[in-house]
């Protein structure tokens, strides 16, 4: 996002470019069941490009979410709000007593938004355990991509004891899809982003090379899975989705024929 600064003897005013189409979150809720695939792919490429640039500069955002992406007059996404950013060279220069922080690019602070936060952030192995903030960004990007494709959140929080949907994901390795199902290449990218192991999670630079991003425009969605596959068995009538509906996928329960049913709403912006 373009940023200009104006100062006088008493004031400092920061001016940014106008993003008159508002938050990406609002665009997602305007659609019935996720954005059109080509639109989601374009947003994903541009947001990932921004993250890749930040990570190359050794800066992690640490609060990637739909509310922190604004759209300009042409519909281009702009990643905003760096208030929680991890700036590696500043941490290293601060003389932190912990050599893992800054000098090795690791963080300890639990920050971000609950439904987007990586499992190693919300549920560390021990109090004050280190985590890779760049890998954590990629998990959040995966949640954002899921929201764009499905119009719903995949998990309330990445803690199995508190979220049946996440426990199901750990146990069976399947995400709760609802129709229309994304292309196989899109699902493959999602699985690499929502990899529980931070060490094996895809990087921003590698995500830009995913096959889904080079798929032709208008590529057909995957066919419906056979009966018994995990899907939402109780879809509402086709209509505009509300904010409450977007936030209602955080908890799932086993439905008939092995289907997954969305049950409970969750808060719009649960900060850690």
């Amino acid at each position: 996002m373009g940023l200009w600064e104006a100062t006088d003897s008493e004031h400092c005013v920061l001016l940014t470019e106008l993003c008159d189409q508002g938050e990406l979150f609002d665009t997602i809720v305007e659609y019935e069941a996720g954005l059109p695939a080509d639109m989601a792919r374009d947003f994903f490429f541009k947001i990932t490009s921004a993250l890749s640039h930040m990570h190359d500069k050794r800066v992690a955002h640490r609060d990637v979410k739909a509310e922190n992406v604004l759209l300009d007059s042409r519909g281009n996404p702009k990643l905003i709000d760096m208030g929680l950013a991890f700036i590696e060279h500043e941490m290293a220069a601060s003389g932190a007593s912990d050599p893992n922080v800054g000098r090795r690019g690791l963080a300890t602070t639990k920050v971000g938004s609950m439904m987007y936060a990586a499992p190693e952030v919300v549920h560390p192995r021990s109090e004050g355990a280190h985590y890779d903030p760049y890998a954590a960004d990629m998990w959040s990007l995966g949640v954002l991509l899921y929201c764009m494709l499905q119009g719903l959140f995949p998990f309330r929080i990445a803690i199995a004891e508190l979220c049946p949907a996440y426990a199901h994901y750990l146990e069976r390795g399947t995400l709760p899809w609802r129709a229309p199902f994304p292309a196989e290449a899109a699902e493959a990218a999602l699985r690499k982003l929502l990899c529980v192991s931070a060490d094996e999670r895809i990087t921003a630079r590698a995500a830009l090379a995913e096959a889904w991003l080079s798929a032709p425009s208008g590529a057909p969605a995957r066919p419906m899975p056979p009966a018994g596959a995990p899907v939402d068995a109780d879809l509402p009538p086709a209509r505009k989705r509300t904010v409450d509906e977007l936030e209602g996928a955080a908890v799932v329960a086993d439905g008939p024929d092995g289907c997954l049913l969305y049950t409970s709403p969750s808060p719009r912006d649960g900060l850690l």
Side-chain angles (χ1 to χ4, degrees):
M1 174 180 287
L3 176 65
W4 297 268
E5 179 179 346
T7 61
D8 59 27
S9 59
E10 297 182 0
H11 304 91
C12 176
V13 180
L14 300 179
L15 305 176
T16 68
E17 63 181 290
L18 177 65
C19 292
D20 53 2
Q21 292 194 34
E23 296 177 359
L24 175 56
F25 186 98
D26 296 326
T27 297
I28 294 173
V29 300
E30 289 177 0
Y31 285 81
E32 293 174 0
L35 303 179
D38 290 344
M39 180 187 292
R41 181 163 45 221
D42 181 65
F43 285 157
F44 178 73
F45 173 77
K46 291 173 180 176
I47 296 167
T48 305
S49 296
L51 269 183
S52 179
H53 176 74
M54 290 179 62
H55 291 183
D56 285 347
K57 299 296 184 182
R58 306 308 293 168
V59 176
H61 189 283
R62 295 205 294 181
D63 198 18
V64 175
K65 58 183 178 180
E67 297 90 328
N68 279 344
V69 177
L70 298 182
L71 304 178
D72 68 12
S73 59
R74 295 183 177 181
N76 292 310
K78 307 285 183 173
L79 186 60
I80 66 164
D81 194 353
M82 308 298 171
L84 298 177
F86 178 90
I87 305 174
E88 192 170 317
H89 73 86
E90 289 188 1
M91 294 298 298
S94 68
S97 58
D98 187 343
N100 290 308
V101 176
R103 285 189 282 266
R104 290 183 55 193
L106 301 178
T108 58
T109 310
K110 294 173 65 173
V111 298
S113 300
M114 181 174 64
M115 288 178 289
Y116 291 89
E120 66 271 14
V121 176
V122 297
H123 194 45
R125 293 186 300 272
S126 60
E127 186 67 27
H130 303 99
Y131 67 89
D132 181 343
Y134 308 102
D137 273 355
M138 300 312 293
W139 176 278
S140 302
L141 180 64
V143 174
L144 176 55
L145 176 57
Y146 184 97
C147 289
M148 288 193 289
L149 291 171
Q150 294 284 285
L152 298 159
F153 287 103
F155 318 116
R156 177 188 293 267
I157 188 171
I159 299 178
E161 295 82 359
L162 300 180
C163 179
Y166 184 66
H168 183 281
Y169 182 54
L170 291 180
E171 179 182 349
R172 305 185 195 177
T174 55
L175 288 164
W177 295 120
R178 60 181 295 135
F181 291 82
E184 290 184 15
E187 183 179 3
L190 260 174
R191 291 187 180 282
K192 294 174 184 178
L193 292 163
L194 296 177
C195 177
V196 175
S197 171
D199 293 337
E200 299 176 12
R201 202 172 297 149
I202 195 171
T203 65
R205 185 177 290 273
L208 290 172
E210 279 296 297
W212 181 55
L213 290 178
S214 60
S217 297
R222 291 165 58 190
M224 291 288 287
V231 299
D232 187 335
D234 188 22
L235 298 180
R239 55 186 168 82
K240 296 287 186 180
R241 301 196 62 73
T242 66
V243 172
D244 287 342
E245 286 176 319
L246 174 62
E247 293 159 354
V251 179
V252 298
D254 288 330
D257 300 322
C259 296
L260 298 180
L261 304 180
Y262 300 105
T263 57
S264 302
S266 53
R268 183 171 192 265
D269 186 22
L271 295 176
L272 297 176

